[in-house]
Amino acid sequence: MATTPTSARPAVPPWRAPDDQTGRIHAAVQAGCGRHADWPAFDARLRRHVATLRNELAWLYGSRDDFEAVVVRLVQTAFEAWCGRPAVLKALDEQRERDPQWFQSQRMLGGVCYVDLFAGDFRGIEAQIPYFQELGLTYLHLMPPYLCPEPHNDGGYAVSSYRATKPALGTIEDLRHLAEKLREAGISLVLDFVFNHTSDEHEWAVAARAGDPVCRDYYHIYPDRQQPDAFERTLREIFPDEHPGAFSQIEDGRWVWTTFHSYQWDLNYSNPEVFRAMAGEMLFIANLGVEFLRMDAVAFVWKRMGTSCESQPEAHHLLRAYNALARIAAPALLFKSEAIVHPDEVVSYISPAECQVSYNPLQMALLWNTLATREVNLLQLALAERHHLPEGTAWVNYVRSHDDIGWTFADEDAARFGIDGFDHRQFLNRFYVDRFPGSFARGVPFQDNPATGDCRISGTCAALCGLEQGDPHAVARILLLHGVVLSSGGIPLIYLGDEIGQGNDAGYADDPARAGDSRWVHRPMRDPRRHAERLDPSTAAGRIHAGLRHLISLRRHLPAFAGGRLLPFWSRHPAVLGYRRPAPQGDDARGGVLVLANFSERPASVLPEVLSAQPATMVDLIGQTAFDLRAGLTLAPYQMVWLVASGA
């Protein structure tokens, strides 16, 4: 299912604002704030972006009689946040505005972890900064550290307060201090903005449950099943193991919208006070020193009867309004889209005016597909036809995340190769949970639904690549996957622990708070013994860590790996993936990098005629080996080469 492209939508909202409305909004805000010392800098950005903010909000709330007042209150909220923004972050704002493409550098490298599982608390993370620098990180995503229910909190995504942290991790001031130390080390802090829902322990939900009419309207709460039943005729179940449908019953008999878990109440964005309140929370998080916000569950934020309530046009207007607000009150802040939906929908959220960076779930899923099938067809097609993004944006490429692996390829793409999407997903599920003969993977099923055949996969990179069972190719597979992520354009992201080949944590099943969620199997605590082995080349951890550091070091010195431009290269071998990263100033093959990767456990040869347009002699930067391409090129099992012209 694809959303309507933005260019195909009407040029103006159904309700059109008077031409002088922006001026009135500005004048009203200035009347209340204009004498403040922080006003001039704020006003300069407000004048540039207030029309955009108003226009995006008009799609959502423009028919309301109090629309102007809604926008004025929102801008006043933004000004209050600006007044509280530390001077060092205001300086960063100016720096980022002068260099808006800073995140396109080939030096960008991300890491992601849970604070408690990786280092215990915020001070433990601070103590790991030298290790992050050793690895080359410039971007650190800490999984949600906010206050949340215990023990059930969806891995931190059920937020009880955006302005307090889990006590075991430290205080909000400890988090602010950590952000400062990371920034001084050249590492941008990334946190989640969980803006589709709150936990049922958030103060708004508590008040709504108690009958407060203001907070009741912050959520979708119904007195009986009439409306929920009508909505559910066109909704899909996200976590059927947790609760059927999309609604949960409150103790008093009312029903509340809970797309994911019964303790996560969806926010009602048709109420503009919800947008204003959440905008205040967003800017509070930005003022901690956060440079990227992972915009969680972007596809689900707007509800409309008779639809899937996913990727509605209003979801895009919400994101663009949040973005315009950030340009006014926290310009250094960038958004990262998290939309695990059809590839056409994923791309629809990515633009400089919406989400500047986005997870690349298609590439992630197809990397694992290619390992299982030993055929690069779907991945090669995706790089050729689905990799391009608008200027000023970037993919976040990853091998796996804290979440499960779902098979989000497009069925129409699979059909071009005679592949039935449903049957193929069943094969992949069986392969990665060791229900297929000859599988090297040791994953665990997540949300296994026999009625629909749906299933997703849990497991660490090492477990899914065969390291746990001692497969001789496991280390090469791990390095191959990360090599594609590092070389295909965008920001590479490593789930910390994968760089040392950490395995599954089967002990999650013994914890009553986690036993029902198999994703905890791939969220193990950091293993100090294995971490120490990273310096021992005789161990798997040492070979993986050394191999990754080598690739990362090479990448930092290759200008062709900046940005996201990629040209497909068809190897004509079913197991060999190919693409070119052209030189920054053009398509000259002598200044670019040709990437070839063998996704099978057998040697694979690329014929001379396929390579005839390349320089006769090329050097593999990874292995420091020269190849005479007039004789063709043979890749060892799971070998990747980064080829440059000899003497380049």
Side-chain angles (χ1 to χ4, degrees):
M1 179 181 65
T3 56
T4 304
T6 302
S7 59
R9 296 179 187 142
V12 295
W15 174 87
R16 185 168 186 171
D19 291 338
D20 61 346
Q21 187 175 69
T22 300
R24 292 201 305 271
I25 291 170
H26 180 271
V29 177
Q30 186 174 27
C33 308
R35 296 182 180 179
H36 197 286
D38 286 309
W39 173 255
F42 180 86
D43 185 43
R45 295 187 176 101
L46 178 63
R47 290 175 183 274
R48 289 201 298 271
H49 301 289
V50 67
T52 299
L53 177 64
R54 183 210 66 177
N55 292 344
E56 297 300 339
L57 292 171
W59 285 90
L60 309 171
Y61 313 120
S63 61
R64 295 175 59 103
D65 292 338
D66 64 345
F67 175 64
E68 283 189 34
V70 164
V71 182
V72 169
R73 289 196 300 272
L74 176 64
V75 176
Q76 289 170 337
T77 296
F79 182 66
E80 291 171 8
W82 174 253
C83 292
R85 190 161 173 80
V88 66
L89 296 182
K90 291 180 177 179
L92 183 65
D93 291 332
E94 294 181 1
Q95 178 184 334
R96 298 299 193 226
E97 287 176 316
R98 288 194 299 270
D99 182 19
Q101 303 303 312
W102 67 275
F103 61 92
Q104 304 279 5
S105 168
Q106 74 272 20
R107 301 176 67 85
M108 288 294 293
L109 175 68
V112 57
C113 66
Y114 281 91
V115 173
D116 54 341
L117 298 177
F118 191 80
D121 56 20
F122 296 134
R123 293 190 178 186
I125 292 289
E126 184 178 336
Q128 290 298 320
I129 288 177
Y131 174 66
F132 300 148
Q133 292 176 307
E134 169 193 310
L135 193 58
L137 298 190
T138 62
Y139 162 122
L140 180 64
H141 180 184
L142 300 179
M143 300 303 293
Y146 311 114
L147 188 68
C148 59
E150 295 295 348
H152 300 293
N153 54 50
D154 191 26
Y157 285 91
V159 178
S160 298
S161 174
Y162 300 88
R163 301 187 183 225
T165 55
K166 298 173 188 175
L169 303 183
T171 67
I172 199 74
E173 290 307 315
D174 292 332
L175 178 56
R176 193 188 306 274
H177 177 76
L178 174 60
E180 178 184 351
K181 292 301 178 184
L182 288 168
R183 188 169 58 254
E184 290 172 356
I187 301 172
S188 298
L189 177 60
V190 186
L191 292 183
D192 286 82
F193 184 40
V194 186
F195 73 114
N196 175 72
H197 50 263
T198 72
S199 90
D200 60 358
E201 293 185 5
H202 193 284
E203 62 178 349
W204 302 337
V206 171
R209 186 186 282 110
D212 182 291
V214 173
C215 290
R216 179 194 61 209
D217 291 342
Y218 276 33
Y219 302 96
H220 302 270
I221 298 177
Y222 302 97
D224 53 40
R225 285 292 310 183
Q226 181 178 353
Q227 288 287 89
D229 286 343
F231 272 112
E232 285 184 352
R233 294 189 186 105
T234 54
L235 302 182
R236 66 184 176 107
E237 293 181 328
I238 304 302
F239 288 157
D241 286 1
E242 205 277 340
H243 66 85
F247 293 83
S248 299
Q249 193 167 27
I250 310 174
E251 298 86 345
D252 62 12
R254 291 179 296 168
W255 292 85
V256 61
W257 201 311
T258 56
T259 294
F260 301 106
H261 294 283
S262 59
Y263 50 80
Q264 291 169 310
W265 290 14
D266 285 37
L267 289 162
N268 177 15
Y269 275 97
S270 66
N271 177 0
E273 283 304 300
V274 169
F275 184 91
R276 187 186 67 81
M278 288 301 291
E281 304 306 283
M282 179 189 79
L283 294 173
F284 176 85
I285 296 168
N287 283 356
L288 293 173
V290 175
E291 297 183 41
F292 289 87
L293 283 180
R294 174 189 179 273
M295 307 298 280
D296 181 59
V298 295
F300 295 91
V301 294
W302 195 269
K303 325 297 187 189
R304 175 178 286 109
M305 183 72 75
T307 73
S308 66
C309 295
E310 296 180 37
S311 292
Q312 297 301 300
E314 290 84 355
H316 298 279
H317 295 297
L318 277 170
L319 284 168
R320 288 196 286 269
Y322 274 129
N323 197 327
L325 206 62
R327 296 317 111 221
I328 295 168
L333 184 68
L334 298 181
F335 292 171
K336 175 170 66 170
S337 167
E338 188 261 351
I340 311 302
V341 288
H342 187 283
D344 291 341
E345 292 182 39
V346 172
V347 173
S348 73
Y349 291 98
I350 308 169
S351 78
E354 199 158 332
C355 292
Q356 294 84 7
V357 301
S358 171
Y359 285 106
N360 194 350
L362 177 63
Q363 178 173 295
M364 181 274 297
L366 292 181
L367 283 170
W368 293 108
N369 169 78
T370 308
L371 272 191
T373 63
R374 285 77 164 180
E375 293 186 349
V376 302
N377 46 14
L378 284 173
L379 181 54
Q380 188 76 65
L381 180 68
L383 291 176
E385 298 185 2
R386 296 189 180 275
H387 182 80
H388 177 72
L389 290 179
E391 288 293 324
T393 65
W395 288 117
V396 174
N397 294 317
Y398 61 113
V399 170
R400 62 104 175 180
S401 70
H402 73 286
D403 221 337
D404 56 278
I405 296 173
W407 308 114
T408 54
F409 58 83
D411 284 5
E412 60 269 30
D413 290 354
R416 291 166 65 174
F417 298 101
I419 299 170
D420 179 271
F422 179 84
D423 291 344
H424 193 60
R425 289 182 178 90
Q426 303 305 300
F427 155 70
L428 292 170
N429 289 334
R430 293 194 303 273
F431 186 93
Y432 279 106
V433 298
D434 193 27
R435 297 174 185 167
F436 189 84
S439 172
F440 49 75
R442 294 298 181 266
V444 178
F446 175 70
Q447 295 289 322
D448 202 353
N449 190 336
T452 63
D454 187 34
C455 177
R456 280 106 79 189
I457 304 300
S458 298
T460 66
C461 180
L464 298 179
C465 284
L467 191 64
E468 290 193 346
Q469 66 166 20
D471 188 290
H473 297 295
V475 170
R477 291 190 189 103
I478 293 169
L479 292 176
L480 175 62
L481 293 178
H482 285 91
V484 174
V485 164
L486 286 161
S487 61
S488 55
I491 302 173
L493 182 64
I494 299 170
Y495 192 96
L496 294 175
D498 286 353
E499 82 282 8
I500 54 174
Q502 199 156 343
N504 282 345
D505 177 14
Y508 86 95
D510 299 325
D511 182 347
R514 297 178 175 180
D517 186 344
S518 71
R519 292 173 299 179
W520 287 107
V521 79
H522 60 228
R523 303 167 182 169
M525 291 193 69
R526 179 169 168 271
D527 182 349
R529 177 190 59 82
R530 198 170 191 90
H531 186 73
E533 287 179 352
R534 79 187 192 284
L535 304 177
D536 182 353
S538 69
T539 65
R543 294 194 298 276
I544 295 167
H545 190 263
L548 266 178
R549 286 195 63 194
H550 178 52
L551 294 176
I552 292 165
S553 178
L554 288 174
R555 179 179 183 272
R556 290 168 68 90
H557 295 93
L558 288 172
F561 281 179
R565 191 162 181 232
L566 177 149
L567 302 175
F569 182 91
W570 301 87
S571 73
R572 302 185 197 172
H573 189 290
V576 177
L577 182 71
Y579 49 90
R580 283 188 49 226
R581 300 300 309 282
Q585 302 303 319
D587 294 346
D588 179 9
R590 300 193 67 83
V593 181
L594 173 63
V595 177
L596 298 172
N598 178 10
F599 273 81
S600 77
E601 54 271 269
R602 295 182 177 86
S605 296
V606 181
L607 298 174
E609 53 265 33
V610 176
L611 300 166
S612 60
Q614 308 305 311
T617 303
M618 300 191 80
V619 176
D620 170 30
L621 296 174
I622 298 174
Q624 289 299 303
T625 302
F627 292 92
D628 181 359
L629 299 190
R630 291 170 297 185
L633 187 151
T634 298
L635 297 171
Y638 298 108
Q639 183 183 6
M640 167 178 272
V641 291
W642 292 354
L643 297 170
V644 297
S646 178

